[in-house]
Amino acid sequence: AQTVTQSQPEMSVQEAETVTLSCTYDTSENNYYLFWYKQPPSRQMILVIRQEAYKQQNATENRFSVNFQKAAKSFSLKISDSQLGDTAMYFCAFMKPLYSGAQKLVFGQGTRLTINP
Amino acid sequence: DVKVTQSSRYLVKRTGEKVFLECVQDMDHENMFWYRQDPGLGLRLIYFSYDVKMKEKGDIPEGYSVSREKKERFSLILESASTNQTSMYLCASQGFGTDTQYFGPGTRLTVL
C-alpha cells in the first residue's frame, strides 16, 4: 500500500519569505501522480500543483513549484514571495493510476502553514 | 468551474441516530468519493463510487454506508452514529480518466 508522510505538522514564516514544505512517499509503482492541495481556513480544498511521475521536469504554477526527486521518493513544495493568503493547511497526496474505475488519493497528515505580516 | 456542494456545513447529532450526508456535483463526473479528515491523520477514504449504483470500500468503511442512485449525487450514511464518528467529512468528484479531484466545502459532524 502507498503511504505519504509530511514530517512538518506546523510551519510559520514572514510575509514575502520563501518556504518549503516536505513530503515523502512510499510506492512500488513506476507511474503515478503527486499533488499538493491547499485547505484555507474557510475549508474548501483546492489543488495547488500536480506532478506526473514520468515527467522529469518539476512542475511550476506561478509562485508555487515542486522539487520532485523520484529516486528519493520526495516531493517538496516551494512557495516563493509568500502572501498572507497562503495561510492554510497543505496536503501532499499520491494517486496510483487505475485504468478502470476510480483513482484514489492517498493523503499525508498535512502541514499547517502560517504566513505572518 | 466544477462545483461540489454538501448539504450541511455543520451538523450535530445524538449517539445512535441515523445520519445522512449529501453531496452533489454538477460536472457529470463518474467518480465520487467520501473522506473524513482528522487532525494529524490527514484525509482518509471511506467509500467511493465509479458509477451509478456502484460503490467500493475505501480504507475506513466500518460504520458507514453509501448510496448513489443518480450520477450527480453521492450520499454517506451513518447507520447508528457514534462519538468516534465526530469529524470533518469531505466529498470529492473526479471525471473518468482525469487525475484531479474537486472537493466540496466539508461537513463538520459532531456526535454527542
Side-chain angles (χ1 to χ4, degrees), chain B residues 40-87:
Chain B
L41 297 177
L43 280 74
R44 294 176 291 166
L45 182 65
I46 305 171
Y47 266 97
F48 64 99
S49 168
Y50 53 89
D51 203 351
V52 175
K53 297 189 185 295
M54 305 302 290
K55 60 185 179 183
E56 286 198 24
K57 293 180 179 179
D59 301 318
I60 52 166
E62 296 78 19
Y64 304 94
S65 63
V66 290
S67 173
R68 192 162 181 206
E69 296 296 319
K70 293 184 178 182
K71 191 174 185 180
E72 67 271 17
R73 188 180 298 271
F74 191 37
S75 302
L76 179 69
I77 304 159
L78 287 66
E79 294 290 342
S80 179
S82 63
T83 55
N84 63 12
Q85 292 178 311
T86 291
S87 187

Side-chain angles (χ1 to χ4, degrees), chain A residues 17-55:
Chain A
E17 288 183 348
T18 294
V19 59
T20 299
L21 309 182
S22 301
C23 173
T24 58
Y25 58 94
D26 186 26
T27 183
S28 58
E29 299 292 327
N30 187 52
N31 191 24
Y32 47 87
Y33 301 90
L34 295 165
F35 305 86
W36 280 97
Y37 278 88
K38 169 185 177 181
Q39 188 181 42
S42 65
R43 296 183 298 160
Q44 190 93 33
M45 187 90 75
I46 55 174
L47 178 66
V48 175
I49 198 165
R50 59 186 284 280
Q51 175 81 41
E52 297 171 54
Y54 68 88
K55 289 186 177 179

Side-chain angles (χ1 to χ4, degrees), chain B residues 21-51:
Chain B
L21 303 182
E22 303 284 333
C23 175
V24 177
Q25 51 94 4
D26 68 355
M27 283 302 292
D28 202 36
H29 284 171
E30 289 78 11
N31 304 324
M32 296 187 75
F33 306 81
W34 275 107
Y35 296 91
R36 66 175 281 175
Q37 180 182 355
D38 299 290
L41 297 177
L43 280 74
R44 294 176 291 166
L45 182 65
I46 305 171
Y47 266 97
F48 64 99
S49 168
Y50 53 89
D51 203 351

